[in-house]
Structure formats: structure tokens, C-alpha cells
Amino acid sequence: MTEEQFSSYHPPLPPTTEEDRFSWLRLLRSRRVGPTTFRRLMHEHGTAQNALAALPEVARAAGVEGYEICPPGVVEAELKAAKAAQARLLCLGDADYPAHLAGIPDAPPLLWLLGDPALLRRPMIALVGARNASSLGTRMARALAQDLGTAGFVVVSGLARGIDTAAHLAALPSGTIAVMAGGVDTIYPAENTHLAGDIARQGLRLSEQPMRLTPQARHFPRRNRIISGLAQAVVVVEAAAKSGSLITARDALDQGREVLAVPGHPFDARAAGCNMLIRDGAHLVRNAEDVIAALPALTAPQPQPDLCDLMQQPAPPPKRSLRETAALHSQILDRLGPSPVAEDQLIRDLAASPGEVAPVLVDLELEGRINRQAGGLLSRVN
């Protein structure tokens, strides 16, 4: 198995019954099961029901005693909240699931939608930037969003104050998607409650998080990979040298997306991130025409994965002895620290095959000894 195959297993076949959807949701809401672990468990066990049955033993083998999967009542409450909000559940592999997003290694297995899912079938451009945006920055965001919308693009952003808000407002008539850091029914910041309602009526709100979840700081970087994953390109309008917008830009580069930035004055700290991106090779943006000109090969519709391809799962890796597994645990933990390391780089450093390393990483994640981050990065929990 190649490293590319390891980092992007074929997505599981989508659930076809309500029972299957319930099991998918229950598996994903179980403790320490994120998108990558979800796909690994589905690959190894075939169905969510089988994965749920195996999960306590998988956790026990990883040294986690007393592991309990997500109780049915938690999922029932989430489904009840979704029904009250009129939210729709979209599963990886469904016909409406956006092909661009499905192609990233840590694509969300489930998304809650509020609004018009037809927007997911149109080409998308992400516009992101500073929350404390300048007057010129918000004007630029509005102009770009309006002109990109007129050109047929859906504008994707994160519903934050500042640049995100300006982009959503300008793109409402043509189509905009807000990717939420919390539950799709939980508006943050509260000042955007009216805008969020307009987006649900005229555009689309979506989230991978449980219904009614209030976002916390750790949720925003995970949200950012979805913003860039949906889009053909990410345009950064204003960003400080250390900002969430630059996390989105890094995610975009990891996902093979185009990154573009609006230049700013060298003395304005809000422009420092954009100027750094341009210095490092990002396309310079003056107007929407610059954005469109950078995407000549990317605007064609993306082919949907063939059903037969989805069913051709790679063979499971050979079983390792307990001693070999323990040794690999130690080697991985020795090579990881608090600074994130790319998963592919770790595999190369270990001189092991992806199939050997994958189940050990799942064990360590379930034990809470490593963290997975956006863009296929791993770090050790001290």
C-alpha cells in the first residue's frame, strides 16, 4: 500500500437506512473517534454496526479500560434537535456530498445542513480574513464576493465577524455557504444571528459538529479545513502574522488548493499575513478577475467517484505480534512531540509501511496519547 493510499482510504459506502445513519452518527460521536479513525474502523469492520461492536475491544487492546461507546440516547437527542431545526444529515458517499471535500484525507463523515444543498454542486471560492477588519478590507471582501458571485462562484466563509461577515452579506443574492465551528443551529458570534438566518433561507449553513454545540477555541482549526476543502481556492483578504486565516491557507496548500492573498500596507499588522503569503508564492489579488485567472484548470466540474471504485477496499494489513506492536508504539511516541509532524513524514522516518503504522496510530489516539490535527498532522499529548 502506498502512502497516498494510506492517507486517503476510499470512502465507505453511504448508509442506506435510518438504522445505518443512526449507527454512523453513534460511531462518530463515540469518544476519541474522529474522521480519520472513523474511516479506519469502517475499512476494517465493513459497517458502522460492526465497528461499534468492535470498538470497546479495540480500545481495550490499546490499553483503555472501561471504554464505552456513545449511548443511543445522545444520538436520539441530536436527531430530535436536528428535526426541530429542520437540519438535514449528509453522509460521506451520498450523491450530494461535495466531491472536492470528499477528496481530502480527513473529510467529515457526516455534515448537518441548513439551507439549499444544491449550492454544494456549484464551484466554490473561500474568502477569509481578519475579524477586526479595516474599512478597506471589508470593502475589498464585499467587492470580491459580489463579483465572484456574478461570475457563478459560491462564496464560502466561516460566519465570523469582519471579513467573513462582509463576504457572506455581499454573496447572499448569488449563493454563499457558512461553515460553522459549533452546531449548525448554534450561532456564533451572536451578532450574526440575523445574517445566519438569511443564509439558511437563501444560502447554506453546514457543520460536522453535534447539534446545539457551542463552539470552543479548538473547534475553529478543524472547521477551517472544511472551508478550504469545499473550495477550489482560498482568498485571504486581511490576516495578521498569526491568525486562523493562515491556518486555513495552510490547510488549502495541504489539500492542493490555490492560495491567493490581497496585499496590504507593510505597517498594518492586519496585512502582515497576506504579505507573507504573497512573499511565499501566493497569487496576488487586486480584483475578482485575478482570482478567476488563477483557476483556469480548476473550474470544470469534478467527476464523481465510481461506485465500483468505492467498493474496492485495500486488503487489511498483516497481524503483528504484541512485542512488535509495543515496540512500534514506543518508536512513534519517541518521534512525536508537542510540535505537529506530518503523518507521511512519520511513516518515512519509521521506515515502516503505512498498513503497519495505521492501526497503531488508532490505538494511540484512542488511548489519548496522540492528537490528530488538520492537514494530516500528529502531535504527542504530554
Side-chain angles (χ1 to χ4, degrees):
M1 185 186 295
T2 66
E3 292 178 11
E4 182 178 359
Q5 286 174 312
F6 169 72
S7 63
S8 56
Y9 288 113
H10 288 299
L13 294 176
T16 56
T17 67
E18 290 305 313
E19 180 184 2
D20 289 340
R21 287 175 176 266
F22 189 96
S23 296
W24 271 48
L25 195 55
R26 192 178 178 197
L27 179 60
L28 192 60
R29 299 300 184 238
S30 292
R31 186 164 53 104
R32 295 176 181 164
V33 177
T36 304
T37 301
F38 178 94
R39 290 178 75 158
R40 177 74 196 187
L41 291 169
M42 291 291 288
H43 162 67
E44 291 181 346
H45 301 286
T47 68
Q49 291 91 333
N50 291 343
L52 284 166
L55 191 51
E57 180 56 36
V58 172
R60 188 159 40 250
V64 181
E65 297 295 335
Y67 183 91
E68 295 182 0
I69 60 179
C70 176
V74 172
V75 175
E76 290 167 358
E78 183 169 357
L79 292 171
K80 183 178 180 180
K83 184 176 181 181
Q86 298 183 321
R88 171 191 169 188
L89 188 63
L90 184 65
C91 300
L92 183 64
D94 283 343
D96 286 342
Y97 197 99
H100 270 82
L101 185 62
I104 70 173
D106 50 355
L110 298 170
L111 291 168
W112 284 113
L113 309 182
L114 268 177
D116 183 7
L119 293 177
L120 295 172
R121 297 192 290 270
R122 291 172 50 192
M124 298 174 237
I125 300 291
L127 288 182
V128 298
R131 287 172 171 81
N132 62 331
S134 68
S135 176
L136 282 174
T138 53
R139 283 170 54 192
M140 185 65 171
R142 286 196 299 267
L144 286 172
Q146 184 173 3
D147 291 346
L148 288 169
T150 301
F153 291 94
V154 173
V155 172
V156 181
S157 200
L159 199 63
R161 58 177 61 94
I163 296 300
D164 291 18
T165 296
H168 285 309
L169 282 168
L172 264 176
S174 55
T176 189
I177 295 174
V179 183
M180 319 278 285
V184 75
D185 57 344
T186 304
I187 310 306
Y188 180 87
E191 67 200 57
N192 276 346
T193 298
H194 182 73
L195 172 60
D198 288 341
I199 294 174
R201 287 185 292 272
Q202 299 175 245
L204 180 68
R205 298 195 331 239
L206 62 82
S207 175
E208 67 174 336
Q209 298 293 351
M211 303 293 295
R212 296 179 176 171
L213 177 75
T214 300
Q216 299 178 22
R218 69 178 185 273
H219 297 135
F220 289 90
R222 298 293 298 162
R223 181 274 311 269
N224 292 348
R225 89 193 192 283
I226 300 177
I227 293 176
S228 56
L230 285 167
Q232 296 179 353
V234 172
V235 182
V236 184
V237 179
E238 277 187 339
K242 295 181 179 179
S243 69
S245 299
L246 295 192
I247 295 176
T248 310
R250 286 195 294 271
D251 288 342
L253 291 171
D254 290 339
Q255 295 162 354
R257 310 298 193 252
E258 293 290 336
V259 175
L260 308 93
V262 176
H265 195 284
F267 290 165
D268 188 346
R270 290 169 295 198
C274 290
N275 292 339
M276 286 167 52
L277 289 172
I278 294 169
R279 178 199 65 191
D280 294 339
H283 297 273
L284 185 150
V285 172
R286 300 163 299 174
N287 48 45
E289 287 75 16
D290 286 340
V291 178
I292 296 169
L295 308 173
L298 298 177
T299 52
Q302 298 297 305
Q304 294 292 326
D306 186 85
L307 188 61
C308 293
D309 291 339
L310 297 180
M311 297 177 69
Q312 293 175 359
Q313 303 287 356
K319 295 289 186 181
R320 300 174 61 86
S321 71
L322 290 176
R323 179 174 295 179
E324 290 172 330
T325 300
L328 191 52
H329 273 233
S330 298
Q331 291 173 33
I332 290 172
L333 291 174
D334 287 344
R335 290 181 180 274
L336 290 178
S339 299
V341 174
E343 198 167 306
D344 288 350
Q345 183 61 52
L346 174 65
I347 293 169
R348 285 194 292 269
D349 291 345
L350 292 168
S353 73
E356 292 175 316
V357 177
V360 178
L361 292 177
V362 172
D363 291 346
L364 292 172
E365 187 175 14
L366 288 170
E367 289 179 47
R369 303 182 73 181
I370 66 172
N371 277 332
R372 290 187 186 270
Q373 302 178 27
L377 299 178
L378 301 169
S379 62
R380 181 170 177 170
V381 177
N382 293 325

